[in-house]
Amino acid sequence: MAGLEGVEQPRRHGGATASRWSPAVEDEHALRALELFGNPTEAEVPLPSRPESAATARRLAQVIVLRHWGLSPKMTEDVVLLVSELVGNAVRHTGARVFGLRMLRRRGWIRVEVRDPSRGLPCLMPVHDLDVSGRGLFLVDKLSDRWGVDLLPRGKTTWFEMRVADR
């Protein structure tokens, strides 16, 4: 489970999927977000810690995964959902004014990081059928191959990684 510095979480393959997002609908907004906020593959993109920043982070993730990295719509959908969950946690639970989004690709893997100034650790909670909230890290745990939290001198980075097929 998350909570120890540098600890990775192995994937337990499950059936959780996202079904609310369509790449084609958001394409123009995603490109605009990249122009306005910067490229999270080149440097950490700072975003204000407000609920509406989740939409910006989703758009940035979409344009990077789908257009820049050329990955599948399904992979894009999953990454966008998980970015939304990590950003939601940073906005709701840290009291930060700003959080950072960073996206990295290396051979066979992608990594997404959300950095915030809080050292409070996220907690993977049990999820029940009728729960209407608290499913964010559950989804991260089910859809990513690895995830974890790195404590920093001032804050933390919560991250997930997913395997990708290299061309």
Side-chain angles (χ1 to χ4, degrees):
M1 309 279 183
L4 298 175
E5 182 175 340
V7 173
E8 294 180 358
Q9 300 302 313
R11 179 181 173 130
R12 289 182 289 284
H13 296 278
T17 60
S19 62
R20 291 184 275 158
W21 178 81
S22 168
V25 173
E26 290 291 319
D27 218 30
E28 185 177 317
H29 295 295
L31 290 170
R32 183 76 175 134
L34 190 63
E35 290 174 18
L36 289 174
F37 294 96
N39 187 331
T41 67
E42 295 172 357
E44 182 179 281
V45 172
L47 295 168
S49 189
R50 296 191 306 251
E52 55 270 21
S53 291
T56 301
R58 285 191 299 269
R59 289 174 178 143
L60 290 169
Q62 174 200 338
V63 74
I64 294 304
V65 175
L66 193 61
R67 287 194 174 223
H68 287 241
W69 291 342
L71 300 176
S72 72
K74 174 63 175 138
M75 173 66 74
T76 304
E77 179 181 341
D78 288 348
V79 170
V80 167
L81 174 64
L82 299 187
V83 163
S84 187
E85 297 300 338
L86 292 188
V87 167
N89 284 347
V91 169
R92 272 191 299 278
H93 301 298
T94 67
R97 291 183 182 170
V98 174
F99 66 89
L101 175 68
R102 181 96 165 114
M103 299 178 70
L104 307 159
R105 182 163 184 189
R106 65 183 193 276
R107 187 170 187 199
W109 291 90
I110 62 169
R111 178 179 173 109
V112 176
E113 302 174 345
V114 174
R115 186 186 56 78
D116 65 69
S118 169
R119 288 181 53 91
L121 297 173
C123 185
L124 179 61
M125 302 295 288
V127 174
H128 304 286
D129 289 342
L130 299 178
D131 289 348
V132 293
S133 67
R135 294 177 181 265
L137 284 180
F138 172 80
L139 291 171
V140 172
D141 190 58
K142 292 298 176 191
L143 295 176
S144 70
D145 290 293
R146 294 190 292 228
W147 69 277
V149 179
D150 296 330
L151 287 176
L152 306 170
R154 295 185 181 210
K156 68 179 173 299
T157 299
T158 306
W159 54 268
F160 67 86
E161 294 181 336
M162 299 173 90
R163 284 188 183 100
V164 298
D166 286 321
R167 296 177 189 172

